[in-house]
Amino acid sequence: YGVAPGADLAFVNLGGLTASDDFDGWFTSALCDGVAYLFSLADARGQPAVVNLSLGTHAGPHDGSSLGDRCLDNLVGPGRIVVAAAGNEGSARPHAVTQELVWVHASGTAGATPERVGLRFGEQLALGEAAQIWFEEPAASASARVGVRTDAGEEVTSAVVTLDDAVTELELAVAGVALGPAFLVTDQAPSGDRVFELVVVDGDEDGAEGALVWFIEVADTGPFDAYLDVSSGGGLVEHHSAGVTLDGRRSVGFPATAAGVIAVGSSVSRVSWRATDGVKREAYDVVTEDPLELGQLSSFSSRGPTRDPERTGTKPDCVAPGEMVVSALPAALLADTPPEVVVAERPAYYAIGA
């Protein structure tokens, strides 16, 4: 109503994730199958189609070379458009439990002296969570080790793992409590880039793994980028070495990293509003608490570039109103919505939000 009124709408449910599924593999295949289905449906109806993907993940090389990226690149073309959210990881956010600021991305350069990336996992450790450190393929002598640090400052580290070790189960224990299972995995992207991936599962669901600061120390990688998806409330933390930087750069995630996908960031659509009580209210940045400026890039909007701009092109491709947007409010949610954000009531409810 009011936007593309001549369009027909079709929806795809990606299906359920079972206990035997690997999340990243399931997500990639389900997403690509869904997009392919929508395009085949449009073809059968003799219509062009635009697929909107307001979702994403930070697994993978972030360089447009993954199987999912290439699948989407092969699906798009004239009359077949895919638009994806760039992501909401351009700034830090509070950890789900500790409330310390966490980031999705860190970068540095590791030579013979190791560089440390610190992280806290989120609320999905019972299912398993992963952090990845990506670097270019020529770093054949790269190595890594994993450690944990308690609030009291006690540290325990694993043995050193090299690129020759495909999967290493880590033996880590603190105060007599065994952690994990935890694994350090090495792999290679289609682009040739290499990765150390730390996978941790709270096997006995005692919460011990989530209460610790974890870290990965890498050596001889050259320039590297580290990622931990913040969607479960965890992220990269300030417990890192001097050569590592936490920031919102290179925080555009899959599927927006695909070269053929239009990656859309968020801009501020208004700086004030009037609720139904008639009071004018000013909008402030949710992170910095500074006043917003009309049209500015939202602080939370994921930033580019990707890890390989030559492959993916400039990302994000564009920005659109995504902060302080007025949208329809289901009447059933009215009682749970703060009245100061409700801008219209009967017969149609509307509210403003980030």
Side-chain angles (χ1 to χ4, degrees):
Y1 177 75
V3 178
D8 294 323
L9 300 178
F11 299 87
V12 169
N13 186 318
L14 296 186
L17 178 67
T18 68
S20 61
D21 286 328
D22 168 72
F23 174 82
D24 297 325
W26 165 83
F27 182 78
T28 296
S29 59
L31 187 69
C32 289
D33 285 346
V35 173
Y37 167 77
L38 288 171
F39 284 152
S40 67
L41 179 65
D43 286 345
R45 296 167 63 93
Q47 295 175 306
V50 178
V51 178
N52 175 70
L53 302 173
S54 295
L55 41 75
T57 177
H58 281 282
H62 291 71
D63 63 3
S65 74
S66 72
L67 292 176
D69 290 317
R70 292 189 292 165
C71 172
L72 294 175
D73 287 341
N74 287 333
L75 288 172
V76 300
R80 292 180 161 206
I81 306 298
V82 175
V83 179
N88 296 326
E89 290 78 53
S91 59
R93 65 179 66 181
H95 185 270
V97 177
T98 68
Q99 297 302 298
E100 64 192 302
L101 292 180
V102 296
W103 297 82
V104 75
H105 171 256
S107 61
T109 300
T113 300
E115 294 287 355
R116 174 180 291 193
V117 178
L119 56 106
R120 281 192 186 271
F121 289 111
E123 300 176 311
Q124 298 297 322
L125 274 170
L127 300 175
E129 296 189 30
Q132 297 180 330
I133 295 183
W134 288 92
F135 51 96
E136 294 184 1
E137 186 274 336
S141 61
S143 63
R145 69 173 184 168
V146 174
V148 294
R149 187 176 190 272
T150 68
D151 290 338
E154 179 186 357
E155 289 190 358
V156 176
T157 57
S158 72
V160 173
V161 175
T162 71
L163 292 176
D164 294 328
D165 305 310
V167 181
T168 303
E169 185 167 4
L170 307 174
E171 297 182 0
L172 292 169
V174 175
V177 177
L179 304 175
F183 304 90
L184 194 60
V185 181
T186 65
D187 205 350
Q188 189 166 21
S191 61
D193 284 6
R194 302 301 299 264
V195 64
F196 286 114
E197 180 177 34
L198 169 63
V199 182
V200 177
V201 182
D202 183 358
D204 55 11
E205 299 188 35
D206 64 351
E209 292 77 7
L212 298 167
V213 173
W214 291 72
F215 57 86
I216 309 173
E217 290 183 345
V218 292
D220 294 321
T221 64
F224 65 84
D225 293 278
Y227 294 93
L228 174 57
D229 206 327
V230 298
S231 58
S232 67
L236 306 175
V237 297
E238 290 291 345
H239 180 70
H240 56 78
S241 55
V244 174
T245 300
L246 305 180
D247 58 30
R249 295 174 58 254
R250 297 188 172 186
S251 56
V252 177
F254 172 79
T257 49
V261 170
I262 299 173
V264 184
S266 169
S267 63
V268 177
S269 61
R270 56 177 46 79
V271 296
S272 64
W273 78 97
R274 290 187 186 275
T276 53
D277 58 10
V279 176
K280 182 178 180 180
R281 292 174 171 85
E282 303 295 326
Y284 293 87
D285 187 280
V286 295
V287 177
T288 66
E289 298 184 354
D290 295 328
L292 294 179
E293 296 181 17
L294 189 64
Q296 76 180 83
L297 182 67
S298 299
S299 64
F300 58 78
S301 188
S302 289
R303 270 67 169 167
T306 63
R307 293 188 60 251
D308 188 355
E310 291 188 6
R311 180 191 300 271
T312 64
T314 300
K315 298 287 182 175
D317 297 275
C318 61
V319 297
E323 186 171 8
M324 306 310 297
V325 174
V326 171
S327 185
L329 175 68
L333 298 182
L334 182 64
D336 298 323
T337 302
E340 61 268 21
V341 302
V342 178
V343 298
E345 293 182 323
R346 298 183 183 277
Y349 296 93
Y350 287 83
I352 190 168

